[in-house]
Amino acid sequence: MSLPPDPLGLSRSGWETAARELGLPAYRGRQIFDGLHLRGERSWEGIAELPASLRERLARECKLELPEIARREESSDGSRKYGLRLSDGALVEAVFMPGE
């Protein structure tokens, strides 16, 4: 199996499956998911619990890219709506609603 084209789009179980298909133990998939989604790492080098060789392979073959903000609308109540373009070209919407 090759590495996923959108690493930020995989769930924890998706990363566990990807790790096993790459011949790695499932816990490596959990480490990747936790680094990306729980700690917010945006570089493979930042996930220090992974072996250097795996971090290097991920950096070479599996780019970390955040969605492009294609549109932004602000409301008078402070909420903001974003149109986000994903790496595959799809457009999704997200809303930020400030707390009181």
Side-chain angles (χ1 to χ4, degrees):
M1 178 194 165
S2 61
L3 290 163
D6 180 13
L8 296 174
L10 280 185
S11 64
R12 175 175 278 167
S13 63
W15 267 114
E16 289 174 349
T17 299
R20 284 192 298 270
E21 289 177 0
L22 291 168
L24 302 169
Y27 75 86
R28 290 288 185 215
R30 290 190 296 275
Q31 289 174 324
I32 291 169
F33 180 88
D34 291 351
L36 296 175
H37 295 287
L38 298 182
R39 295 196 315 269
E41 294 293 343
R42 290 300 173 254
S43 76
W44 295 114
E45 196 58 37
I47 307 177
E49 61 267 41
L50 299 177
S53 60
L54 179 55
R55 291 192 312 256
E56 291 166 6
R57 179 179 181 192
L58 290 167
R60 250 188 345 268
E61 299 177 25
C62 193
K63 302 294 181 205
L64 288 175
E65 296 177 346
L66 294 176
E68 167 197 352
I69 299 175
R71 182 171 38 93
R72 179 186 324 214
E73 297 174 26
E74 295 195 30
S75 180
S76 60
D77 66 0
S79 62
R80 288 178 286 233
K81 183 164 61 170
Y82 296 95
L84 303 173
R85 184 153 326 276
L86 305 179
S87 61
D88 65 359
L91 185 66
V92 297
E93 288 189 344
V95 177
F96 168 75
M97 300 182 73
E100 294 187 79

